[in-house]
Amino acid sequence: MPNRLELTGITKQFPGVLANDQVSFAVKPGEIHALLGENGAGKSTLVKMIYGIMQPDAGEIRWNGEPVVVPNPKAARKLGIGMVFQHFSLFEALTVLENIALGMDAKIPSRELEGRIREVMQTYGLVLDPHRTVATLSVGERQRIEIVRSLLLNPQLLIMDEPTSVLTPQEVEQLFTVLRKLAAEGCSILYISHKLHEIKALCDTATILRGGKLVDTCDPKQETSRSMAEKMIGSGLKDIVKAEGRAFGQPKLVINRLRTNKAGHFDVPVDNVSFTVRAGEILGIAGVAGNGQNALLDALSGEIIGDDREAITIDGFGIGMMNTTERRKRGLCAVPEERNGHAAVGDFSLADNSVLTARDRLGMVVMGLINSGAAKTYTGKVIADFAVKALGPSSTAGSLSGGNLQKYIMGREILQKPSVLVVSQPTWGVDAGAAAAIHQALVDLASAGSAIVVISQDLDELRALCDTLAVINMGHLSAAKPVKDFSIEEIGLLMGGVHGASEADHAIPA
Amino acid sequence: MQFRLEKRREPSKAMIYITPVVAVVLTMIVGAVIFSLIGYDGIGAVREIFLTPLTNSYKWQDLGIKAAPLIIIGVGLSIAYRANVWNIGAEGQYVIGGLAGTGIALLTYGMTGWWILPLMVLAGMLGGMAYAAIPALLRTRLNVNEILTSLMLTYASVQLIYYLIRAPWKDPMGMGFPQTRLFSEAARLPTIIPGTIVHLGVPIAVLVGIVAWFIMTRSVFGYRMRVVGAAPHAARYGGFSENKTIWLAMLVSGGLAGLAGVLEVAGPFQRMVPGFPTNYGFTAIIVAFLGRLNPLGVIVAGIVLAITFVGGEVAQTTIGLPNAATGIFQAMMLFFLLAGDILIKYRLRRVLPQPSVGAA
């Protein structure tokens, strides 16, 4: 039997970068094949060429043994290639059925389509009501729409781009069950991820890319997570170094019955949130996306100004009614989840982006005028200390890759030495090497006596990084406990909305 | 052969400066073709409109006094538009500024003193600000779109002129003409070059442009305007409130439009007349965009638009082009400019025809 997909000598050159350099590998029918690599290793480019979004400069793609040219995604779907993107393209105000209908190449009567959708869901155990509005669905459920959409075309190869980054552990298990079943029926799966233990659990083969070149094709079950990570980043991996037996200081950030108002139709406000972070402590807030994390971050950073001064205190001083600028002067810095357009301005240079949050703490403003020299110097320090790949402080933020921009933003806040730092998704989309550097910088900042709050959907990250953990669900925060006192199952149940007592029926869809 | 737009990694710096020039050149070419097609001397029209004002030194002073209000208003609009605050009613703020200055001139009629002109200027700016404050208030309190309110207020301001110069402010010696009396000497803007009509407003316009450029590039105020326009969410994160920015943008652009109004009434007009609203406030929108929302660029763009005004008048007398032709040329310029702007973030690439799917 010929290989389902075979790439030979695929090369793609962008201005200034060789994104793929002579990449060759093969995916067998029914194989779950991992594509591993850091940000900028060339995974996305490679996959885009397979799916017809881009064309290779050189090399050959063989599909079931025959050489093919894939001019566009429509042609890819016709061949039998499906893809589930990391960022979903769904209309929130429409139903599941309408969304799927809009994404189909052929026009199918809606009743017939619904029948086929139900059939696919039945076959693969994907629980979803076709008539629900997308806005009411969790991220995991939204992903199921995208999977169903791809499966309706009976693909022979399904490409999954970082599918588990926003799922609860239970949802990840369900997804794996579906993928294993698909593979057993002969559909090949190309699985892009940087979560190594998932790849070990799921995949038969792993192809590792680094700097556009193929480094190794290996059997993940024979490798350790560490050995694969080292192949990925090309050097020894550093563990997070935490000083043993650290003692925490006085309560630094105390949140007392914090609440926000519902802002938009799809906004999830927080209600009655209380927690305490001591000097030197890292508190993690776990939860599935869309459970009030954004409102919590905005309420802490000062983008949403509350009506109770004492709802947020730093060292006993109430800051609940201050704006972001005043809170920064008091020592509270924050990093929102969205990088481009929220934490940074894409059209501005990095130096100008430093002015955005560091101008008061670092004296970049004198008599209403901006000291651009000071901004450039500080930006240069951030670039150097956090190994940001940028031409210099004058590069625009929008020209940086997502991971590099995140390194810059984290560096910009951490080097201000805030006494309280609140960050959301500090390493989302950041490669293993950079993530380790960001984690270490956070730990070092805590060791120096700062209180840190990390809001993340990545449980591995939270368990490795944090001292204490709490779970947010529908705007409510569970009690915080030391990380080691939480089991994965317990966290998963809290994320699904079960608070200790009885198991609600909506917790785990069967 | 197919072409495709492809996103650039970095916005092209060169294109920012090239597209306005290309827009002007395209306007000349297309304008020549269109006016030839409808039976005028197209090439002659373009020559008269774009070149005669530059080659004929008699026209230079006209250029200066036409460019001054365009530049002053355009600078204010460029600041507001940077912050995505769409003040379309500069014409109305210009009119109210002129009226406020007229009010002071009439109150102080017959008096002398150095303080009269500065007081008029102050009143003019406050008048423009106050008129711009209405859309600002409606926008920040009730979320009413400032484009509509500022535009509609323009028409109200014109009616206010008609009322004032027909009744309370009418010239007692005017033999019934709807106009105010001629301002006294102390309320007229002095000329700066003897023997010409070039008044103090011309150097003031250049100064406004330079000061605004410095403020926009170096100060926190300028940073605030730029960041609110580029990424409103990031601006909030950086500590810049949206409402305060709307107020600042409206007041600055309104105040500068008011300044242009008072300089115009105290300079070329020296009295309030029904013909005072000359669409400078609307043309300045083109000036702001042609100048790339950069105050220094606005100075250049103001001169370019002044050329079309002066040249349009020349063409009316020499080749009988209708007055509306000037408007057509100005509108084409804005059209080509906005269309060309896509090349700043995108590049045009030739796409070679792809062989079809070659399977089986």
Side-chain angles (χ1 to χ4, degrees):
Chain A
M1 199 192 264
N3 284 321
R4 177 63 39 83
L5 176 76
E6 192 171 341
L7 305 182
T8 321
I10 295 289
T11 301
K12 180 75 181 174
Q13 171 88 46
F14 288 124
V17 213
L18 194 55
N20 285 138
D21 185 7
Q22 296 282 333
V23 176
S24 309
F25 69 92
V27 182
K28 293 189 203 61
E31 179 186 39
I32 306 185
H33 193 115
L35 196 55
L36 255 175
E38 294 196 291
N39 284 319
K43 293 172 307 206
S44 304
T45 309
L46 194 59
V47 168
K48 279 178 183 165
M49 288 188 286
I50 299 172
Y51 196 57
I53 299 171
M54 285 178 189
Q55 298 304 319
D57 295 337
E60 189 187 51
I61 301 177
R62 276 174 180 269
W63 178 253
N64 289 328
E66 300 288 336
V68 289
V69 172
V70 192
N72 53 49
K74 198 170 170 176
R77 288 192 288 269
K78 215 166 161 186
L79 286 174
I81 303 175
M83 180 155 177
V84 175
F85 289 90
Q86 190 178 3
H87 300 287
F88 313 141
S89 41
L90 297 171
F91 294 97
E92 295 216 331
L94 299 184
T95 64
V96 173
L97 181 62
E98 287 164 337
N99 265 290
I100 293 178
L102 279 171
M104 302 299 285
D105 290 325
K107 213 166 154 48
I108 304 167
S110 109
R111 194 165 300 166
E112 188 189 327
L113 183 64
E114 187 178 339
R116 285 176 55 188
I117 291 172
R118 288 194 187 278
E119 192 187 311
V120 167
M121 288 181 182
Q122 188 78 46
T123 317
Y124 296 102
L126 293 155
V127 185
L128 204 57
D129 175 1
H131 294 289
R132 269 179 75 185
T133 310
V134 169
T136 64
L137 300 178
S138 74
V139 182
E141 289 170 317
R142 289 175 195 209
Q143 187 182 54
R144 275 176 230 156
I145 305 178
E146 296 277 4
I147 296 174
V148 169
R149 192 188 264 180
S150 304
L151 293 187
L152 281 171
L153 301 165
N154 300 319
Q156 297 176 44
L157 171 71
L158 187 62
I159 304 171
M160 305 282 298
D161 190 3
E162 306 256 349
T164 60
S165 53
V166 291
L167 302 183
T168 65
Q170 284 84 356
E171 284 173 324
V172 170
E173 246 342 288
Q174 287 168 29
L175 173 69
F176 283 6
T177 311
V178 172
L179 294 182
R180 286 194 188 103
K181 182 157 182 172
L182 266 172
E185 289 172 1
C187 176
S188 308
I189 290 161
L190 193 56
Y191 186 90
I192 304 173
S193 180
H194 59 258
K195 291 189 182 170
L196 299 162
H197 68 266
E198 286 179 0
I199 286 170
K200 278 175 68 70
L202 182 70
C203 301
D204 309 313
T205 319
T207 290
I208 303 175
L209 293 179
R210 185 171 74 231
K213 287 200 178 76
L214 189 137
V215 186
D216 194 12
T217 295
C218 57
D219 178 355
K221 298 194 168 70
Q222 304 298 316
E223 302 273 335
T224 63
S225 293
R226 194 184 182 88
S227 67
M228 284 195 288
E230 284 176 352
K231 281 178 188 160
M232 222 162 86
I233 63 173
S235 62
L237 192 66
K238 292 197 193 85
D239 288 317
I240 299 178
V241 186
K242 274 192 192 178
E244 280 302 315
R246 287 183 304 143
F248 303 126
Q250 291 299 309
K252 199 151 195 81
L253 177 72
V254 179
I255 309 299
N256 189 20
R257 293 164 186 264
L258 179 70
R259 55 177 305 279
T260 62
N261 295 315
K262 193 172 169 70
H265 191 55
F266 301 127
D267 181 56
V268 180
V270 291
D271 192 21
N272 204 9
V273 164
S274 303
F275 59 86
T276 299
V277 194
R278 291 161 289 183
E281 181 177 359
I282 303 180
L283 170 78
I285 294 181
V288 181
N291 271 291
Q293 287 98 330
N294 290 340
L296 179 61
L297 185 104
D298 286 354
L300 291 177
S301 72
E303 284 193 54
I304 298 175
I305 299 174
D307 44 19
D308 177 7
R309 211 169 71 90
E310 300 301 320
I312 305 170
T313 57
I314 295 182
D315 294 327
F317 186 87
I319 60 161
M321 290 172 72
M322 286 182 170
N323 62 30
T324 52
T325 310
E326 291 161 340
R327 288 184 197 197
R328 279 203 190 96
K329 285 184 190 160
R330 279 261 147 205
L332 186 151
C333 290
V335 179
E337 170 182 333
E338 183 71 36
R339 294 184 268 255
N340 210 339
H342 194 177
V345 186
D347 290 340
F348 280 19
S349 69
L350 293 178
D352 272 355
N353 271 294
S354 297
V355 175
L356 189 65
T357 65
R359 61 183 184 280
D360 292 316
R361 291 183 64 79
L362 300 175
M364 291 179 189
V365 175
V366 185
M367 313 250 297
L369 295 181
I370 291 168
N371 181 347
S372 54
K376 277 212 177 85
T377 312
Y378 179 65
T379 308
K381 186 169 155 55
V382 173
I383 291 174
D385 286 12
F386 281 78
V388 180
K389 279 182 199 144
L391 292 175
S394 325
S395 311
T396 58
S399 70
L400 267 61
S401 71
N404 271 304
L405 186 56
Q406 181 70 356
K407 283 198 274 184
Y408 160 75
I409 292 165
M410 291 301 298
R412 178 184 72 187
E413 303 304 322
I414 289 173
L415 291 185
Q416 292 182 43
K417 303 198 170 54
S419 59
V420 175
L421 181 65
V422 184
V423 294
S424 184
Q425 303 283 26
T427 59
W428 194 1
V430 175
D431 57 63
I438 289 175
H439 288 155
Q440 190 58 49
L442 287 171
V443 167
D444 293 346
L445 184 67
S447 311
S450 298
I452 297 177
V453 178
V454 179
I455 302 172
S456 175
Q457 289 150 33
D458 186 342
L459 275 185
D460 301 338
E461 166 170 67
L462 291 174
R463 284 157 57 86
L465 183 63
C466 301
D467 304 304
T468 36
L469 199 64
V471 181
I472 192 166
N473 176 259
M474 293 309 289
H476 295 274
L477 193 71
S478 76
K481 280 203 285 186
V483 168
K484 57 182 187 308
D485 297 350
F486 265 122
S487 69
I488 280 269
E489 289 69 30
E490 198 178 347
I491 299 171
L493 289 174
L494 285 170
M495 284 164 84
V498 184
H499 287 273
S502 64
E503 257 192 37
D505 51 356
H506 61 268
I508 319 165
Chain B
M1 189 164 60
Q2 268 185 311
F3 287 95
R4 191 157 63 183
L5 284 170
E6 203 176 78
K7 198 155 186 193
R8 297 175 191 268
R9 279 170 75 91
E10 292 258 355
S12 162
K13 288 245 161 59
M15 278 296 167
I16 293 178
Y17 302 107
I18 293 172
T19 50
V21 176
V22 172
V24 171
V25 171
L26 278 177
T27 304
M28 291 183 185
I29 297 171
V30 176
V33 171
I34 288 178
F35 281 94
S36 298
L37 286 177
I38 56 176
Y40 289 96
D41 172 8
I43 294 178
V46 169
R47 188 186 59 237
E48 295 288 44
I49 291 181
F50 287 94
L51 291 179
T52 309
L54 288 174
T55 52
N56 183 343
S57 58
Y58 282 111
K59 297 290 172 196
W60 291 352
Q61 40 180 321
D62 287 344
L63 281 186
I65 61 166
K66 287 263 194 280
L70 289 175
I71 291 170
I72 296 173
I73 304 172
V75 164
L77 292 183
S78 72
I79 292 172
Y81 294 171
R82 272 267 174 235
N84 279 355
V85 176
W86 303 108
N87 179 6
I88 303 298
E91 179 76 3
Q93 294 135 24
Y94 161 88
V95 165
I96 298 296
L99 283 176
T102 305
I104 299 291
L106 295 178
L107 274 177
T108 61
Y109 188 73
M111 292 187 220
T112 51
W114 63 267
W115 49 270
I116 293 178
L117 263 180
L119 189 66
M120 284 170 68
V121 166
L122 187 69
M125 292 181 73
L126 289 177
M129 283 180 172
Y131 213 52
I134 302 170
L137 185 77
L138 290 171
R139 164 76 194 270
T140 51
R141 283 292 166 85
L142 302 171
N143 209 15
V144 181
N145 188 321
E146 76 277 12
I147 298 177
L148 293 176
T149 50
S150 64
L151 177 65
M152 291 192 291
L153 281 168
T154 299
Y155 303 108
S157 72
V158 175
Q159 297 306 316
L160 187 62
I161 299 188
Y162 294 166
Y163 165 70
L164 287 173
I165 61 180
R166 280 187 171 84
W169 288 2
K170 194 157 109 177
D171 182 0
M173 315 295 200
M175 295 184 293
F177 278 111
Q179 59 185 26
T180 67
R181 51 172 133 205
L182 205 60
F183 297 170
S184 30
E185 191 60 39
R188 296 186 206 161
L189 212 54
T191 52
I192 51 161
I193 305 172
T196 68
I197 50 171
V198 179
H199 56 75
L200 196 59
V202 177
I204 290 179
V206 176
L207 191 69
V208 163
I210 293 170
V211 169
W213 171 80
F214 182 79
I215 289 175
M216 286 304 282
T217 49
R218 296 292 151 82
S219 74
V220 176
F221 170 86
Y223 186 85
R224 160 195 282 274
M225 293 293 152
R226 289 189 287 128
V227 72
V228 168
H233 222 145
R236 207 180 68 182
Y237 166 66
F240 301 114
S241 108
E242 194 190 0
N243 281 352
K244 193 175 164 194
T245 309
I246 292 170
W247 271 104
L248 286 170
M250 286 306 283
L251 291 181
V252 167
S253 55
L256 284 174
L259 172 65
V262 70
L263 292 178
E264 199 65 10
V265 77
F269 286 95
Q270 305 192 341
R271 64 167 20 134
M272 183 53 75
V273 295
F276 179 70
T278 36
N279 282 348
Y280 281 139
F282 291 120
T283 311
I285 297 170
I286 305 177
V287 172
F289 280 109
L290 192 66
R292 311 262 57 144
L293 304 185
N294 173 336
L296 293 185
V298 166
I299 297 180
V300 178
I303 295 170
V304 172
L305 266 292
I307 290 173
T308 64
F309 269 124
V310 175
E313 281 167 17
V314 174
Q316 274 180 58
T317 50
T318 54
I319 54 174
L321 218 55
N323 188 28
T326 313
I328 292 175
F329 275 100
Q330 291 174 349
M332 267 199 286
M333 223 183 273
L334 182 65
F335 172 81
F336 284 125
L337 178 77
L338 296 182
D341 272 359
I342 198 166
L343 293 174
I344 294 172
K345 287 203 170 171
Y346 293 83
R347 84 173 99 229
L348 209 54
R349 252 191 66 160
R350 229 177 94 183
V351 185
L352 298 171
Q354 296 285 352
S356 55
V357 184

